[in-house]
Amino acid sequence: MISVTELRNGTKVEMDGGLWECLEYSHLKMGRGGAKVVTKFRNMETGSIVDRTFNSGEKLQDIYVEGKKMQYLYKDGGDFVFMDLDTYDQVHLPPALLGDAPKFMKENTEVEVAMYGDKPLSITLPNQVVLKITQTDPGVRGDTVSGGTKPATLETGAVVQVPLFVEQGTDVKVDTRTGQYLSRA
């Protein structure tokens, strides 16, 4: 158990029958009354966000979330299949759990899956991935009015802005956090 005064951004707790991550917190001291802690939590299972106010003496059940290295294998119907690199067990994860990650995942991509017990909560991609451009228009010499970039479709279906000199079939590095082109690979 931890006191609500020990909450920080990223702290994970169990309350109201669900798993929650603290996004924001602030400590308020009233004139005559006791101190209050105003927080914003995100449900780690559904993604919903709630605001909660606690008295300074309240306690919450903290949880331990373990990060497991897994490898993306393939898409099976609507689910994505991952393999635990330690035990070689296969885990099916629904698309709702992955968020925008499938835009930058190709087969054999290693990811880190946040696990609470045996329950997967979320995945974290590597900061950079190398993907092949499957479709882009040829760059026209002197066409720099638009800032010198053009849209390119990657092998996973994601669309990123690339410089005019990048051609179809080129491998490029993409930042998975922002979805921006970094360089040619």
Coordinates of all heavy atoms in Angstrom, one line a residue, residues 8-95:
R8 N 3.2 9.6 -8.1 CA 4.0 10.4 -9.1 C 3.5 10.0 -10.5 O 2.8 9.0 -10.7 CB 5.5 10.0 -9.0 CG 6.1 10.3 -7.7 CD 6.2 11.8 -7.4 NE 6.7 12.2 -6.1 CZ 6.0 12.5 -5.1 NH1 4.7 12.6 -5.1 NH2 6.6 12.9 -3.9
N9 N 3.9 10.8 -11.5 CA 3.5 10.4 -12.9 C 4.0 9.0 -13.2 O 5.2 8.8 -13.0 CB 4.0 11.4 -13.9 CG 3.4 12.8 -13.7 OD1 2.3 12.9 -13.0 ND2 4.0 13.8 -14.3
G10 N 3.1 8.2 -13.7 CA 3.6 6.8 -14.1 C 3.4 5.8 -13.0 O 3.5 4.6 -13.3
T11 N 3.0 6.2 -11.8 CA 2.7 5.2 -10.8 C 1.5 4.4 -11.1 O 0.5 4.9 -11.5 CB 2.5 5.9 -9.4 OG1 3.6 6.7 -9.1 CG2 2.3 4.9 -8.3
K12 N 1.6 3.1 -10.9 CA 0.5 2.2 -11.3 C -0.1 1.6 -10.0 O 0.6 1.2 -9.1 CB 1.0 1.1 -12.2 CG 1.4 1.6 -13.5 CD 2.3 0.6 -14.3 CE 2.7 1.2 -15.6 NZ 3.6 2.3 -15.5
V13 N -1.5 1.8 -9.9 CA -2.2 1.3 -8.7 C -3.4 0.5 -9.1 O -3.9 0.6 -10.2 CB -2.6 2.5 -7.8 CG1 -1.4 3.3 -7.3 CG2 -3.6 3.4 -8.6
E14 N -4.0 -0.2 -8.1 CA -5.2 -0.9 -8.3 C -6.3 -0.2 -7.4 O -6.1 0.0 -6.2 CB -5.0 -2.3 -7.8 CG -6.3 -3.2 -8.0 CD -6.0 -4.6 -7.7 OE1 -4.9 -5.0 -7.3 OE2 -7.0 -5.4 -7.8
M15 N -7.4 0.2 -8.0 CA -8.5 0.9 -7.3 C -9.8 0.6 -8.1 O -9.7 0.5 -9.3 CB -8.2 2.4 -7.1 CG -8.2 3.2 -8.3 SD -7.9 4.9 -7.8 CE -8.1 5.7 -9.4
D16 N -10.8 0.6 -7.4 CA -12.2 0.4 -8.0 C -12.2 -0.8 -8.9 O -12.9 -0.8 -9.9 CB -12.6 1.7 -8.8 CG -12.6 2.9 -7.9 OD1 -12.9 2.8 -6.7 OD2 -12.5 4.0 -8.5
G17 N -11.5 -1.8 -8.5 CA -11.5 -3.1 -9.3 C -10.8 -3.0 -10.6 O -11.0 -3.9 -11.4
G18 N -10.0 -2.0 -10.8 CA -9.3 -1.9 -12.1 C -7.8 -1.5 -11.9 O -7.4 -1.2 -10.8
L19 N -7.0 -1.5 -13.0 CA -5.6 -1.1 -12.9 C -5.5 0.2 -13.5 O -6.0 0.5 -14.6 CB -4.8 -2.2 -13.7 CG -4.9 -3.6 -13.3 CD1 -4.1 -4.5 -14.2 CD2 -4.5 -3.8 -11.8
W20 N -4.9 1.2 -12.8 CA -4.8 2.6 -13.2 C -3.4 3.1 -13.2 O -2.6 2.7 -12.3 CB -5.7 3.4 -12.2 CG -7.1 3.0 -12.2 CD1 -7.7 2.0 -11.5 CD2 -8.2 3.6 -13.0 NE1 -9.0 1.9 -11.8 CE2 -9.4 2.9 -12.7 CE3 -8.2 4.7 -13.9 CZ2 -10.6 3.2 -13.2 CZ3 -9.4 5.0 -14.4 CH2 -10.6 4.3 -14.1
E21 N -3.1 4.0 -14.1 CA -1.8 4.7 -14.1 C -2.0 6.2 -13.9 O -2.9 6.8 -14.5 CB -1.1 4.5 -15.5 CG 0.2 5.2 -15.6 CD 0.8 4.9 -17.0 OE1 0.2 4.5 -17.9 OE2 2.0 5.3 -17.1
C22 N -1.2 6.7 -13.0 CA -1.3 8.2 -12.6 C -0.7 9.0 -13.7 O 0.4 8.8 -14.1 CB -0.6 8.4 -11.3 SG -0.7 10.1 -10.8
L23 N -1.5 9.9 -14.3 CA -1.0 10.8 -15.3 C -0.6 12.1 -14.8 O 0.4 12.7 -15.2 CB -2.1 11.0 -16.4 CG -2.6 9.8 -17.1 CD1 -3.7 10.1 -18.1 CD2 -1.4 9.1 -17.9
E24 N -1.4 12.7 -13.8 CA -1.1 14.0 -13.2 C -1.4 13.9 -11.8 O -2.3 13.2 -11.4 CB -1.9 15.1 -13.9 CG -1.6 15.3 -15.3 CD -2.5 16.4 -15.9 OE1 -3.2 17.1 -15.2 OE2 -2.5 16.6 -17.1
Y25 N -0.8 14.7 -11.0 CA -1.1 14.8 -9.5 C -0.7 16.2 -9.1 O 0.2 16.8 -9.6 CB -0.4 13.8 -8.7 CG 1.1 14.0 -8.6 CD1 1.6 14.7 -7.5 CD2 1.9 13.6 -9.6 CE1 3.0 14.9 -7.4 CE2 3.3 13.8 -9.5 CZ 3.8 14.5 -8.4 OH 5.1 14.8 -8.4
S26 N -1.5 16.7 -8.1 CA -1.1 18.0 -7.5 C -1.5 17.9 -6.0 O -2.6 17.4 -5.7 CB -1.7 19.2 -8.2 OG -3.1 19.1 -8.2
H27 N -0.7 18.5 -5.2 CA -1.0 18.5 -3.7 C -1.6 19.9 -3.4 O -0.9 20.9 -3.6 CB 0.4 18.3 -3.0 CG 0.3 17.9 -1.6 ND1 0.1 16.5 -1.3 CD2 0.3 18.5 -0.5 CE1 0.1 16.4 0.0 NE2 0.2 17.6 0.5
L28 N -2.8 19.9 -2.8 CA -3.4 21.2 -2.4 C -3.6 21.2 -0.9 O -4.1 20.3 -0.3 CB -4.8 21.2 -3.1 CG -4.9 21.2 -4.6 CD1 -6.4 21.2 -5.0 CD2 -4.2 22.5 -5.1
K29 N -3.1 22.3 -0.4 CA -3.2 22.6 1.1 C -4.3 23.7 1.3 O -4.1 24.8 0.8 CB -1.9 23.0 1.7 CG -1.9 23.4 3.1 CD -2.2 22.2 4.0 CE -2.1 22.6 5.5 NZ -3.3 22.4 6.2
M30 N -5.4 23.3 1.9 CA -6.4 24.2 2.2 C -6.1 25.0 3.4 O -5.3 24.6 4.2 CB -7.8 23.5 2.4 CG -8.1 22.6 1.2 SD -8.3 23.5 -0.3 CE -9.7 22.8 -1.0
G31 N -6.7 26.2 3.6 CA -6.4 27.0 4.7 C -6.7 26.4 6.1 O -5.7 26.1 6.8
R32 N -7.9 26.0 6.4 CA -8.1 25.4 7.7 C -8.3 23.9 7.6 O -8.0 23.1 8.5 CB -9.5 25.9 8.3 CG -9.4 27.3 8.8 CD -10.6 27.6 9.5 NE -10.3 28.2 10.8 CZ -11.1 28.8 11.5 NH1 -12.4 28.9 11.1 NH2 -10.8 29.3 12.6
G33 N -8.7 23.4 6.4 CA -8.9 22.0 6.3 C -7.6 21.2 6.0 O -6.5 21.8 6.0
G34 N -7.8 19.9 5.8 CA -6.6 19.1 5.6 C -6.2 19.2 4.1 O -6.9 19.8 3.3
A35 N -5.0 18.6 3.8 CA -4.5 18.7 2.5 C -5.3 17.7 1.6 O -5.8 16.7 2.0 CB -3.0 18.3 2.5
K36 N -5.3 18.0 0.3 CA -6.0 17.1 -0.7 C -5.0 16.8 -1.8 O -4.1 17.6 -2.1 CB -7.2 17.8 -1.3 CG -8.2 18.3 -0.3 CD -9.4 17.3 -0.3 CE -10.5 17.9 0.6 NZ -11.1 16.9 1.3
V37 N -5.1 15.7 -2.4 CA -4.3 15.3 -3.6 C -5.3 15.2 -4.8 O -6.2 14.3 -4.7 CB -3.5 14.0 -3.3 CG1 -2.7 13.6 -4.6 CG2 -2.6 14.2 -2.1
V38 N -5.1 16.0 -5.8 CA -6.0 16.0 -7.0 C -5.2 15.2 -8.0 O -4.0 15.6 -8.4 CB -6.3 17.4 -7.5 CG1 -7.2 17.3 -8.7 CG2 -7.0 18.2 -6.4
T39 N -5.8 14.2 -8.6 CA -5.1 13.3 -9.6 C -5.9 13.1 -10.8 O -7.1 13.3 -10.9 CB -4.8 11.9 -8.9 OG1 -6.1 11.3 -8.6 CG2 -4.0 12.0 -7.7
K40 N -5.2 12.6 -11.9 CA -5.8 12.2 -13.1 C -5.2 10.8 -13.4 O -4.0 10.6 -13.4 CB -5.5 13.2 -14.2 CG -6.2 12.8 -15.5 CD -5.8 13.8 -16.6 CE -6.7 15.0 -16.4 NZ -6.6 16.0 -17.6
F41 N -6.1 9.8 -13.5 CA -5.7 8.5 -13.8 C -6.2 8.0 -15.1 O -7.3 8.4 -15.6 CB -6.3 7.5 -12.7 CG -5.6 7.6 -11.4 CD1 -6.1 8.3 -10.3 CD2 -4.5 6.8 -11.2 CE1 -5.5 8.3 -9.1 CE2 -3.8 6.9 -10.0 CZ -4.3 7.6 -8.9
R42 N -5.5 7.1 -15.8 CA -5.9 6.4 -17.0 C -6.0 4.9 -16.7 O -5.1 4.3 -16.1 CB -4.8 6.6 -18.1 CG -5.2 5.9 -19.4 CD -4.2 6.1 -20.5 NE -2.9 5.5 -20.1 CZ -2.5 4.3 -20.2 NH1 -3.3 3.4 -20.7 NH2 -1.3 3.9 -19.9
N43 N -7.2 4.4 -17.1 CA -7.4 2.9 -16.9 C -6.5 2.2 -17.9 O -6.6 2.4 -19.1 CB -8.9 2.6 -17.1 CG -9.2 1.2 -16.8 OD1 -8.5 0.3 -17.1 ND2 -10.3 1.0 -16.0
M44 N -5.7 1.3 -17.4 CA -4.8 0.6 -18.3 C -5.4 -0.5 -19.1 O -4.8 -1.0 -20.0 CB -3.7 0.0 -17.4 CG -2.8 1.0 -16.7 SD -1.6 0.4 -15.5 CE -0.5 -0.4 -16.7
E45 N -6.7 -0.8 -18.8 CA -7.4 -1.9 -19.6 C -8.3 -1.3 -20.7 O -8.4 -1.8 -21.8 CB -8.2 -2.8 -18.6 CG -7.3 -3.5 -17.7 CD -8.0 -3.9 -16.4 OE1 -8.8 -3.2 -15.9 OE2 -7.7 -5.1 -16.0
T46 N -9.0 -0.2 -20.3 CA -9.9 0.4 -21.2 C -9.4 1.7 -21.9 O -9.9 2.1 -22.9 CB -11.3 0.7 -20.5 OG1 -11.0 1.7 -19.5 CG2 -11.8 -0.6 -19.9
G47 N -8.5 2.4 -21.2 CA -8.0 3.6 -21.7 C -8.7 4.9 -21.3 O -8.4 6.0 -21.6
S48 N -9.8 4.7 -20.5 CA -10.6 5.8 -20.0 C -9.8 6.6 -19.0 O -8.9 6.1 -18.3 CB -11.9 5.4 -19.4 OG -11.7 4.6 -18.3
I49 N -10.1 7.9 -18.9 CA -9.4 8.8 -18.0 C -10.4 9.4 -17.0 O -11.4 9.9 -17.4 CB -8.7 9.9 -18.8 CG1 -7.6 9.3 -19.7 CG2 -8.1 11.0 -17.9 CD1 -6.9 10.3 -20.6
V50 N -10.0 9.4 -15.7 CA -10.8 10.0 -14.7 C -10.0 10.9 -13.8 O -8.8 10.7 -13.7 CB -11.5 8.9 -13.8 CG1 -12.4 8.0 -14.6 CG2 -10.5 8.0 -13.1
D51 N -10.7 11.9 -13.2 CA -10.1 12.8 -12.2 C -10.6 12.3 -10.9 O -11.8 12.0 -10.7 CB -10.5 14.2 -12.5 CG -10.0 14.8 -13.8 OD1 -8.9 14.5 -14.1 OD2 -10.7 15.6 -14.4
R52 N -9.7 12.2 -9.9 CA -10.0 11.8 -8.5 C -9.4 12.8 -7.5 O -8.3 13.2 -7.7 CB -9.5 10.4 -8.3 CG -10.2 9.3 -9.0 CD -11.6 8.9 -8.5 NE -11.5 8.5 -7.1 CZ -11.5 7.2 -6.7 NH1 -11.5 6.3 -7.5 NH2 -11.5 7.0 -5.4
T53 N -10.1 13.0 -6.4 CA -9.5 13.8 -5.3 C -9.5 13.0 -4.1 O -10.5 12.3 -3.8 CB -10.4 15.1 -5.1 OG1 -10.5 15.8 -6.3 CG2 -9.8 15.9 -4.0
F54 N -8.3 12.9 -3.4 CA -8.2 12.1 -2.2 C -7.8 13.0 -1.1 O -7.2 14.1 -1.2 CB -7.0 11.1 -2.4 CG -7.2 10.1 -3.5 CD1 -6.7 10.3 -4.8 CD2 -8.0 9.0 -3.3 CE1 -6.8 9.4 -5.8 CE2 -8.1 8.1 -4.4 CZ -7.6 8.3 -5.6
N55 N -8.1 12.6 0.2 CA -7.6 13.2 1.4 C -6.2 12.7 1.5 O -5.8 11.6 1.1 CB -8.4 12.8 2.6 CG -9.8 13.4 2.5 OD1 -10.0 14.6 2.1 ND2 -10.8 12.7 3.0
S56 N -5.3 13.5 2.2 CA -3.9 13.2 2.2 C -3.6 11.9 3.0 O -2.5 11.4 2.8 CB -3.1 14.4 2.8 OG -3.5 14.5 4.2
G57 N -4.4 11.4 3.8 CA -4.1 10.2 4.6 C -4.6 8.9 3.9 O -4.3 7.8 4.4
E58 N -5.2 9.0 2.7 CA -5.7 7.8 2.1 C -4.6 6.9 1.5 O -3.5 7.5 1.2 CB -6.7 8.1 1.0 CG -8.0 8.7 1.5 CD -9.1 8.9 0.4 OE1 -9.3 8.0 -0.3 OE2 -9.5 10.0 0.3
K59 N -4.9 5.6 1.4 CA -3.9 4.7 0.8 C -4.4 4.0 -0.4 O -5.6 3.8 -0.5 CB -3.4 3.7 1.9 CG -2.8 4.4 3.1 CD -1.7 3.4 3.6 CE -1.0 4.1 4.8 NZ 0.1 4.9 4.5
L60 N -3.6 3.6 -1.3 CA -3.9 2.9 -2.5 C -3.0 1.6 -2.6 O -1.9 1.6 -2.2 CB -3.8 3.7 -3.8 CG -4.7 4.9 -3.9 CD1 -4.3 5.8 -5.1 CD2 -6.1 4.5 -4.1
Q61 N -3.6 0.6 -3.3 CA -2.8 -0.6 -3.5 C -1.9 -0.4 -4.8 O -2.4 -0.3 -5.9 CB -3.7 -1.8 -3.7 CG -3.0 -3.1 -3.9 CD -2.2 -3.5 -2.7 OE1 -2.6 -3.5 -1.6 NE2 -0.9 -3.9 -3.0
D62 N -0.6 -0.4 -4.6 CA 0.3 -0.3 -5.7 C 0.5 -1.7 -6.4 O 0.3 -2.7 -5.7 CB 1.6 0.3 -5.4 CG 2.4 -0.5 -4.3 OD1 1.8 -1.2 -3.6 OD2 3.7 -0.3 -4.3
I63 N 0.8 -1.7 -7.6 CA 1.0 -2.9 -8.4 C 2.4 -3.0 -9.0 O 3.0 -1.9 -9.3 CB -0.1 -3.2 -9.4 CG1 -0.1 -2.0 -10.5 CG2 -1.5 -3.3 -8.8 CD1 -1.0 -2.3 -11.6
Y64 N 2.8 -4.2 -9.3 CA 4.1 -4.3 -10.0 C 3.8 -4.8 -11.4 O 3.2 -5.8 -11.7 CB 5.0 -5.4 -9.3 CG 6.2 -5.6 -10.0 CD1 7.3 -4.7 -10.1 CD2 6.4 -6.9 -10.7 CE1 8.4 -4.9 -10.8 CE2 7.6 -7.1 -11.4 CZ 8.6 -6.2 -11.4 OH 9.8 -6.4 -12.1
V65 N 4.2 -4.0 -12.4 CA 4.1 -4.3 -13.8 C 5.4 -4.7 -14.4 O 6.4 -3.9 -14.3 CB 3.5 -3.1 -14.6 CG1 3.4 -3.4 -16.1 CG2 2.1 -2.7 -14.0
E66 N 5.5 -5.9 -14.9 CA 6.7 -6.5 -15.4 C 6.8 -6.3 -17.0 O 5.8 -6.4 -17.6 CB 6.8 -8.0 -15.1 CG 8.0 -8.7 -15.7 CD 7.9 -10.2 -15.4 OE1 6.9 -10.7 -15.0 OE2 8.9 -10.8 -15.7
G67 N 7.9 -5.9 -17.5 CA 8.1 -5.8 -18.9 C 8.7 -7.1 -19.5 O 9.8 -7.5 -19.0
K68 N 8.0 -7.7 -20.5 CA 8.5 -9.0 -21.1 C 8.9 -8.7 -22.5 O 8.1 -8.0 -23.2 CB 7.5 -10.0 -21.0 CG 7.4 -10.8 -19.7 CD 6.5 -12.0 -19.9 CE 6.6 -12.9 -18.7 NZ 5.9 -14.1 -18.9
K69 N 10.0 -9.2 -22.9 CA 10.4 -9.1 -24.3 C 9.6 -10.1 -25.1 O 9.6 -11.3 -24.8 CB 11.9 -9.4 -24.5 CG 12.8 -8.3 -24.0 CD 12.8 -7.2 -25.0 CE 13.8 -6.1 -24.6 NZ 13.7 -4.9 -25.4
M70 N 9.0 -9.7 -26.2 CA 8.2 -10.6 -27.1 C 8.5 -10.2 -28.5 O 8.9 -9.1 -28.8 CB 6.7 -10.5 -26.8 CG 6.3 -11.0 -25.4 SD 4.6 -11.3 -25.3 CE 4.4 -12.1 -23.7
Q71 N 8.2 -11.1 -29.4 CA 8.4 -10.9 -30.8 C 7.0 -11.1 -31.5 O 6.3 -12.0 -31.3 CB 9.3 -12.0 -31.3 CG 9.7 -11.8 -32.8 CD 10.7 -12.9 -33.2 OE1 10.6 -14.1 -32.8 NE2 11.7 -12.5 -34.0
Y72 N 6.7 -10.1 -32.4 CA 5.5 -10.1 -33.2 C 5.6 -11.2 -34.3 O 6.6 -11.1 -35.0 CB 5.2 -8.8 -33.8 CG 4.1 -8.8 -34.8 CD1 2.8 -9.2 -34.4 CD2 4.3 -8.3 -36.1 CE1 1.8 -9.2 -35.4 CE2 3.3 -8.3 -37.0 CZ 2.0 -8.8 -36.6 OH 1.0 -8.8 -37.6
L73 N 4.7 -12.1 -34.3 CA 4.8 -13.2 -35.3 C 3.9 -13.0 -36.5 O 4.4 -12.9 -37.6 CB 4.4 -14.5 -34.7 CG 5.3 -15.0 -33.5 CD1 4.8 -16.3 -33.0 CD2 6.8 -15.2 -34.0
Y74 N 2.6 -12.8 -36.3 CA 1.7 -12.7 -37.4 C 0.3 -12.2 -36.9 O 0.1 -12.2 -35.7 CB 1.5 -14.0 -38.2 CG 1.0 -15.2 -37.3 CD1 -0.3 -15.4 -37.2 CD2 1.9 -16.0 -36.7 CE1 -0.8 -16.5 -36.4 CE2 1.5 -17.0 -35.9 CZ 0.2 -17.3 -35.8 OH -0.3 -18.3 -35.0
K75 N -0.6 -11.8 -37.8 CA -1.9 -11.4 -37.5 C -2.8 -12.6 -37.8 O -2.8 -13.2 -38.8 CB -2.3 -10.2 -38.3 CG -3.6 -9.6 -37.9 CD -3.9 -8.3 -38.6 CE -5.2 -7.8 -38.1 NZ -5.6 -6.5 -38.7
D76 N -3.6 -13.0 -36.7 CA -4.5 -14.1 -36.8 C -5.9 -13.6 -36.7 O -6.4 -13.4 -35.6 CB -4.2 -15.1 -35.7 CG -5.1 -16.4 -35.8 OD1 -5.6 -16.7 -36.9 OD2 -5.3 -17.0 -34.7
G77 N -6.6 -13.4 -37.8 CA -7.9 -12.8 -37.8 C -7.9 -11.4 -37.3 O -7.2 -10.6 -38.0
G78 N -8.5 -11.1 -36.2 CA -8.4 -9.8 -35.6 C -7.3 -9.6 -34.6 O -6.9 -8.5 -34.3
D79 N -6.8 -10.7 -34.1 CA -5.8 -10.6 -33.1 C -4.3 -10.6 -33.6 O -4.1 -11.0 -34.8 CB -5.9 -11.8 -32.1 CG -7.1 -11.7 -31.2 OD1 -7.7 -10.7 -31.2 OD2 -7.4 -12.8 -30.6
F80 N -3.4 -10.1 -32.8 CA -2.0 -10.1 -33.2 C -1.3 -11.2 -32.3 O -1.6 -11.2 -31.1 CB -1.4 -8.7 -32.9 CG -1.9 -7.7 -33.9 CD1 -3.0 -7.0 -33.6 CD2 -1.2 -7.4 -35.0 CE1 -3.5 -6.0 -34.5 CE2 -1.6 -6.4 -35.9 CZ -2.8 -5.8 -35.7
V81 N -0.5 -12.0 -32.9 CA 0.2 -13.1 -32.2 C 1.6 -12.7 -31.9 O 2.4 -12.4 -32.7 CB 0.1 -14.4 -33.0 CG1 0.7 -15.6 -32.2 CG2 -1.3 -14.8 -33.3
F82 N 2.0 -12.8 -30.6 CA 3.3 -12.5 -30.1 C 3.9 -13.8 -29.4 O 3.2 -14.6 -28.9 CB 3.3 -11.4 -29.1 CG 2.9 -10.1 -29.7 CD1 1.6 -9.7 -29.8 CD2 3.9 -9.2 -30.1 CE1 1.3 -8.5 -30.4 CE2 3.6 -8.0 -30.6 CZ 2.3 -7.6 -30.8
M83 N 5.2 -13.9 -29.5 CA 5.9 -15.0 -28.8 C 6.8 -14.5 -27.7 O 7.6 -13.6 -28.0 CB 6.7 -15.8 -29.8 CG 7.5 -17.0 -29.2 SD 8.5 -17.9 -30.4 CE 9.7 -16.6 -30.9
D84 N 6.7 -15.1 -26.5 CA 7.5 -14.8 -25.4 C 8.9 -15.3 -25.7 O 9.1 -16.5 -26.0 CB 7.0 -15.4 -24.1 CG 7.8 -15.0 -22.9 OD1 8.9 -14.6 -23.0 OD2 7.2 -15.0 -21.8
L85 N 10.0 -14.4 -25.7 CA 11.3 -14.9 -26.1 C 12.0 -15.7 -25.1 O 13.0 -16.3 -25.3 CB 12.2 -13.6 -26.4 CG 11.7 -12.9 -27.7 CD1 12.6 -11.6 -27.9 CD2 11.8 -13.7 -28.9
D86 N 11.4 -15.8 -23.8 CA 12.0 -16.6 -22.8 C 11.4 -18.0 -22.8 O 12.1 -19.0 -22.7 CB 11.8 -16.0 -21.4 CG 12.6 -14.7 -21.3 OD1 13.7 -14.6 -21.9 OD2 12.2 -13.9 -20.5
T87 N 10.1 -18.1 -22.9 CA 9.4 -19.4 -22.8 C 8.9 -19.9 -24.1 O 8.4 -21.1 -24.2 CB 8.2 -19.3 -21.8 OG1 7.3 -18.3 -22.4 CG2 8.7 -18.8 -20.4
Y88 N 8.9 -19.1 -25.1 CA 8.4 -19.5 -26.5 C 6.9 -19.7 -26.5 O 6.4 -20.3 -27.4 CB 9.2 -20.7 -27.1 CG 10.6 -20.4 -27.2 CD1 11.5 -21.1 -26.3 CD2 11.2 -19.5 -28.0 CE1 12.9 -20.9 -26.4 CE2 12.5 -19.3 -28.1 CZ 13.4 -20.0 -27.3 OH 14.7 -19.7 -27.3
D89 N 6.2 -19.2 -25.5 CA 4.7 -19.3 -25.5 C 4.2 -18.2 -26.4 O 4.7 -17.1 -26.5 CB 4.2 -19.1 -24.1 CG 4.5 -20.2 -23.1 OD1 4.7 -21.3 -23.6 OD2 4.5 -19.9 -21.9
Q90 N 3.0 -18.5 -27.0 CA 2.4 -17.6 -27.9 C 1.2 -16.9 -27.2 O 0.5 -17.6 -26.6 CB 2.0 -18.2 -29.2 CG 3.2 -18.7 -30.1 CD 2.7 -19.2 -31.4 OE1 1.6 -19.2 -31.8 NE2 3.7 -19.7 -32.2
V91 N 1.1 -15.6 -27.4 CA 0.0 -14.8 -26.8 C -0.7 -14.1 -27.9 O -0.1 -13.5 -28.7 CB 0.6 -13.8 -25.8 CG1 -0.4 -13.0 -25.1 CG2 1.5 -14.5 -24.7
H92 N -2.1 -14.2 -27.8 CA -2.9 -13.4 -28.8 C -3.3 -12.1 -28.1 O -3.9 -12.2 -27.0 CB -4.2 -14.3 -29.1 CG -3.8 -15.5 -30.0 ND1 -4.1 -15.5 -31.3 CD2 -3.3 -16.7 -29.6 CE1 -3.7 -16.7 -31.8 NE2 -3.2 -17.4 -30.8
L93 N -3.1 -11.0 -28.7 CA -3.4 -9.7 -28.2 C -4.4 -9.0 -29.1 O -4.2 -9.0 -30.3 CB -2.2 -8.8 -28.0 CG -1.1 -9.3 -27.1 CD1 0.0 -8.3 -27.0 CD2 -1.7 -9.6 -25.7
P94 N -5.5 -8.4 -28.6 CA -6.5 -7.7 -29.4 C -6.0 -6.4 -29.9 O -5.1 -5.8 -29.2 CB -7.7 -7.6 -28.5 CG -7.1 -7.6 -27.1 CD -5.9 -8.5 -27.2
P95 N -6.4 -5.9 -31.0 CA -6.0 -4.6 -31.5 C -6.2 -3.4 -30.6 O -5.4 -2.5 -30.6 CB -6.8 -4.4 -32.8 CG -7.4 -5.7 -33.1 CD -7.4 -6.5 -31.9

